[in-house]
Amino acid sequence: MAGSSQNICLLSVCDATPNSFGSFEEFLVALSEKLRQEGWIHVIIFRGKPIEEVEKSLLSQGAKIRTMKPSKLGAVNFVQFYKIIKEIQPNYIHFHFYPIYSIVNYLSFLFNVKIIYTDHMGSRKPKSTFKKIIRKPYYLTYSKLFSCGIEKIVCVSEFVKSKYSREYGINPKKMCVIYNGINIKRFQKKLNIKDIRKKYNLEEDLIITCIGLRFDKGPHCLIKAAPLILQKVPNVKFVLVGDGKFKNDLEKQIDDYKVRDHIIMTGTLTDVTDIYSVSSCVVVPSICEEAFCFIVAEAMAMEVPVIAFDSGAIKEVIHNKFRVIPKNHIVLADRVVEILKEGNASDKKEMRAHIIKNFPLEKCANEHILLYRNLLKKK
């Protein structure tokens, strides 16, 4: 398939099974649409069969879908991908959520194919001193063995690029930054506010939202800050969106801090735009280092003020850096109170304009197309 510009083929390999129509799935659909318009072929490999909505959307844009469950053994993956590449003959293989250093990269020497990676993940601190000590030499060793076949590594923020260079020993020349994008049309403020409030039993005027109930997303930090906020702004409801194992710990903490009457837990939502539309502010108390943070971009696109811990790439995404704070629940409470009392309408319009300019889905897809074109020209 490498001969004509009309049959250039991209193989996107994703170690994921889409069970919702999230931001990554929207990116694949947008990219597939651009590739179809260019006359390119797009083959996508998922770990498992995607949900029907994702599958239909991709197929409608001309994408072809296959499934393959990767092995923990690099040699097994090498053989599987060897067979797939021999059959499909792609010009590019773009790995998403795969480990960057593996024997799979040697496939670039057996086929005329350019290998690209994006891992989309942030940074977590090593859980032990031993892991902290061996992390850098481990990755430096692997970089010597397996980096030679990599054409380019896409970083979703400058933070990720810095992490790769610092911790993984990757040559900066092999990296480029393409920020994630969001669907601007989907993330815009809804007008049926009364109906949404009734649906979720949100009678209070002031709504503070936190999305993601995993420990590393820091919802417990908001619970800890809640009594301090309520002392100064009593008429507040805290909306926690999501589910998971950490929910039981949060339930106990909610009772310990005696804020049960002010908490609504929605569970997992297929569409969070309702909650964004009625939120007075969105809190992002991540204690992990965020690679990008879709929540920040989504909330600002819907004209909702964001207060976020200083985690990873959040400073690169947020409009007002005054709202990036240290990882401290007391500071969080103080800043929430300030935001609730100031209510700056003009700033809300600026937030959406900031996202439209810097992080639209179309820009993200276009920059990927440009990257592929430039790599095709490279000898």
Side-chain angles (χ1 to χ4, degrees):
M1 296 183 181
S4 167
S5 61
Q6 294 302 308
N7 57 17
I8 295 171
C9 178
L10 167 67
L11 175 61
S12 294
V13 184
C14 314
D15 189 11
T17 302
N19 52 24
S20 65
F21 208 134
S23 297
F24 178 66
E25 289 76 21
E26 285 192 312
F27 160 71
L28 289 176
V29 172
L31 180 62
S32 296
E33 181 181 8
K34 296 287 184 183
L35 293 171
R36 178 180 57 79
Q37 292 169 356
E38 296 284 340
W40 292 17
I41 298 166
H42 192 198
V43 181
I44 306 173
I45 297 179
F46 290 120
R47 185 182 186 91
K49 184 178 174 61
I51 60 171
E52 185 177 1
E53 183 184 7
V54 173
E55 183 178 37
K56 284 185 175 180
S57 297
L58 289 169
L59 292 176
S60 70
Q61 297 302 334
K64 301 176 182 179
I65 299 174
R66 300 174 65 155
T67 60
M68 188 200 93
K69 186 176 180 180
S71 170
K72 292 182 180 180
L73 299 175
V76 174
N77 292 331
F78 182 93
V79 172
Q80 291 188 89
F81 285 124
Y82 178 91
K83 294 177 181 177
I84 291 170
I85 294 169
K86 191 173 182 180
E87 175 194 346
I88 297 174
Q89 299 181 44
N91 301 83
Y92 316 90
I93 308 177
H94 196 150
F95 288 100
H96 297 270
F97 307 107
Y98 270 77
I100 292 171
Y101 294 140
S102 80
I103 195 173
V104 168
N105 296 332
Y106 281 94
L107 288 166
S108 64
F109 298 105
L110 302 179
F111 299 96
N112 183 22
V113 63
K114 298 184 184 297
I115 294 178
I116 306 153
Y117 281 90
T118 307
D119 92 354
H120 305 272
M121 302 301 289
S123 179
R124 291 177 175 83
K125 293 181 179 180
K127 293 182 179 180
S128 68
T129 304
F130 175 73
K131 287 185 176 181
K132 185 176 181 179
I133 292 171
I134 68 166
R135 172 180 272 187
K136 191 159 188 177
Y138 171 85
Y139 283 116
L140 286 173
T141 301
Y142 268 62
S143 70
K144 299 295 183 184
L145 293 172
F146 301 122
S147 66
C148 50
I150 302 172
E151 196 71 35
K152 191 65 73 173
I153 297 169
V154 176
C155 306
V156 297
S157 63
E158 292 291 345
F159 165 77
V160 172
K161 184 178 179 181
S162 174
K163 178 192 78 170
Y164 284 161
S165 179
R166 182 180 64 253
E167 297 182 11
Y168 294 177
I170 296 173
N171 185 340
K173 291 181 180 179
K174 284 199 178 236
M175 295 185 281
C176 68
V177 174
I178 300 179
Y179 286 105
N180 287 320
I182 66 167
N183 187 338
I184 299 298
K185 292 180 181 178
R186 182 160 74 92
F187 290 101
Q188 55 183 324
K189 198 170 187 69
K190 295 182 177 180
L191 300 177
N192 58 329
I193 303 300
K194 289 184 179 179
D195 294 338
I196 296 172
R197 285 184 178 276
K198 185 177 180 181
K199 178 181 177 181
Y200 293 97
N201 191 29
L202 294 169
E203 298 177 359
E204 285 78 3
D205 292 331
L206 301 174
I207 310 298
I208 301 170
T209 299
C210 183
I211 297 177
L213 299 195
R214 301 201 318 257
F215 175 79
D216 60 350
K217 294 298 180 181
H220 54 289
C221 299
L222 177 59
I223 300 303
K224 203 172 180 180
L228 302 176
I229 296 169
L230 290 166
Q231 285 176 13
K232 298 180 180 179
V233 189
N235 190 33
V236 170
K237 210 77 166 182
F238 300 90
V239 177
L240 304 182
V241 179
D243 215 331
K245 296 178 181 178
F246 191 55
K247 184 178 179 180
N248 292 334
D249 295 305
L250 282 177
E251 295 274 12
K252 183 179 184 304
Q253 192 173 21
I254 288 167
D255 290 331
D256 289 344
Y257 282 93
K258 298 180 174 57
V259 292
R260 173 68 63 182
D261 292 343
H262 295 271
I263 301 289
I264 287 182
M265 304 183 86
T266 67
T268 301
L269 300 178
T270 54
D271 183 6
V272 295
T273 56
D274 279 357
I275 297 299
Y276 283 136
S277 293
V278 297
S279 296
S280 306
C281 74
V282 168
V283 172
V284 185
S286 295
I287 56 177
C288 64
E289 300 302 319
E290 297 280 359
F292 175 78
C293 196
F294 281 105
I295 295 169
V296 171
E298 291 166 2
M300 289 193 299
M302 296 192 67
E303 303 177 26
V304 186
V306 175
I307 303 166
F309 280 172
D310 189 358
S311 304
I314 284 178
K315 278 183 179 176
E316 299 176 50
V317 183
I318 204 164
H319 171 247
N320 188 341
K321 290 182 175 56
F322 169 74
R323 292 176 180 166
V324 179
I325 62 174
K327 296 174 183 176
N328 181 291
H329 75 281
I330 297 175
V331 179
L332 175 62
D334 289 342
R335 197 59 53 87
V336 166
V337 171
E338 288 179 37
I339 295 299
L340 294 180
K341 289 184 176 181
E342 71 179 27
N344 193 328
S346 62
D347 186 50
K348 293 178 181 179
K349 298 295 182 183
E350 290 174 5
M351 287 187 291
R352 179 165 173 81
H354 170 73
I355 299 302
I356 291 174
K357 178 183 178 181
N358 296 291
F359 308 111
L361 191 57
E362 294 78 9
K363 181 179 180 181
C364 177
N366 285 333
E367 289 184 359
H368 277 83
I369 297 291
L370 181 60
L371 168 65
Y372 300 143
R373 285 195 173 281
N374 289 338
L375 290 181
L376 198 64
K377 296 174 184 176
K378 186 178 176 182
K379 300 297 183 181

